[in-house]
Amino acid sequence: SQQGEEDPQALSIQEGENATMNCSYKTSINNLQWYRQNSGRGLVHLILIRSNEREKHSGRLRVTLDTSKKSSSLLITASRAADTASYFCATDARRGSTLGRLYFGRGTQLTVWP
Amino acid sequence: ETGVTQTPRHLVMGMTNKKSLKCEQHLGHNAMYWYKQSAKKPLELMFVYSLEERVENNSVPSRFSPECPNSSHLFLHLHTLQPEDSALYLCASSQEVARWGGTDTQYFGPGTRLTVL
């Protein structure tokens, strides 16, 4: 089964509001990454957080990681209509010989209304 | 997106056709990947190449045949596909396949939207 699971599956907010998406995973990881995908396009890397880090910031993005709960959250502050996209978390749990493989969740579809 | 390019962007083919998807990365990376993205399913890793050598074939049917002639180019040859193979096929690259302490960031192309009739 897949490693990461995002929650909620869909999120709809107004411009200016904050958007929070969560990711849970099942096994130990080295790092966790968040990616963004505009409709029908490729994924764009947003941020990487290592297992020994608890929080990381990049512009309007804030990512937290709780390895004891095997969960991460992505917060987008002061959202804009251009933030409308699907957001995926990806982890790198090792399974047998698949060293370094990324496991993606199904994603959270964020819609930001003007 | 300019770091990893994919052609064609859209492809419609019949089940008896043979076609190829092309991916090119301009980032000087050593690893390249093919993913399949179907509606409402997680991104599925298909193949991984490191320095032109296939390091993973994730139980992909033989009707998908990858080729990596050099570290900058990756192809996916398609033949006798099924309608359920319709999906967005994404190519990605990273500096390396794996290293101690984690996985490299992957850079994705825009994808090829494939429709099998």
Side-chain angles (χ1 to χ4, degrees):
Chain A
S1 60
Q2 68 271 20
Q3 174 70 357
E5 280 287 354
E6 293 89 350
D7 171 66
Q9 290 187 10
L11 180 61
S12 186
I13 59 174
Q14 294 290 130
E15 263 192 332
E17 295 180 340
N18 295 340
T20 299
M21 289 159 272
N22 302 297
C23 170
S24 59
Y25 56 92
K26 297 174 183 173
T27 61
S28 297
I29 61 171
N30 291 310
N31 62 52
L32 183 145
Q33 303 182 41
W34 283 92
Y35 287 80
R36 164 199 168 120
Q37 182 181 35
N38 287 73
S39 179
R41 310 283 289 184
L43 279 71
V44 175
H45 178 257
L46 294 176
I47 198 164
L48 180 152
I49 185 166
R50 301 197 183 281
S51 59
N52 61 354
E53 297 175 310
R54 291 297 168 258
E55 187 171 312
K56 203 162 184 180
H57 297 256
S58 177
R60 294 185 294 113
L61 305 181
R62 172 178 169 254
V63 169
T64 62
L65 179 63
D66 187 335
T67 53
S68 66
K69 295 181 179 178
K70 293 185 169 59
S71 67
S72 173
S73 68
L74 170 67
L75 168 68
I76 303 175
T77 59
S79 62
R80 305 167 182 167
D83 294 328
T84 295
S86 292
Y87 292 82
F88 297 87
C89 68
T91 57
D92 67 344
R94 297 181 184 184
R95 293 182 183 180
S97 62
T98 52
L99 185 66
R101 174 178 171 172
L102 281 181
Y103 294 86
F104 288 84
R106 297 174 191 269
T108 292
Q109 172 61 50
L110 172 67
T111 302
V112 182
W113 299 99
Chain B
E1 286 188 5
T2 55
V4 181
T5 58
Q6 289 186 244
T7 54
R9 295 295 306 276
H10 300 272
L11 179 62
V12 179
M13 58 187 289
M15 290 190 285
T16 58
N17 291 159
K18 290 184 179 180
K19 296 288 183 182
S20 295
L21 310 185
K22 179 183 176 181
C23 175
E24 184 173 359
Q25 58 97 359
H26 312 273
L27 302 169
H29 289 166
N30 293 322
M32 297 187 77
Y33 310 78
W34 278 118
Y35 286 90
K36 175 184 178 182
Q37 188 177 34
S38 305
K40 300 182 180 179
K41 292 178 69 175
L43 209 59
E44 300 174 56
L45 179 65
M46 300 175 72
F47 302 104
V48 182
Y49 276 82
S50 174
L51 294 170
E52 304 138 47
E53 179 182 345
R54 190 189 312 178
V55 297
E56 181 162 343
N57 175 350
N58 195 30
S59 302
V60 179
S62 59
R63 57 186 183 269
F64 295 92
S65 174
E67 178 190 1
C68 188
N70 54 63
S71 60
S72 298
H73 293 85
L74 185 65
F75 295 89
L76 187 62
H77 303 300
L78 316 171
H79 63 97
T80 59
L81 294 191
Q82 304 298 312
E84 59 264 28
D85 296 323
S86 297
L88 182 68
Y89 288 84
L90 293 164
C91 172
S93 71
S94 66
Q95 187 61 53
E96 305 290 348
V97 169
R99 60 183 178 188
W100 292 110
T103 308
D104 280 329
T105 296
Q106 293 185 14
Y107 295 82
F108 284 80
T112 294
R113 172 68 64 186
L114 174 67
T115 302
V116 182
L117 302 177

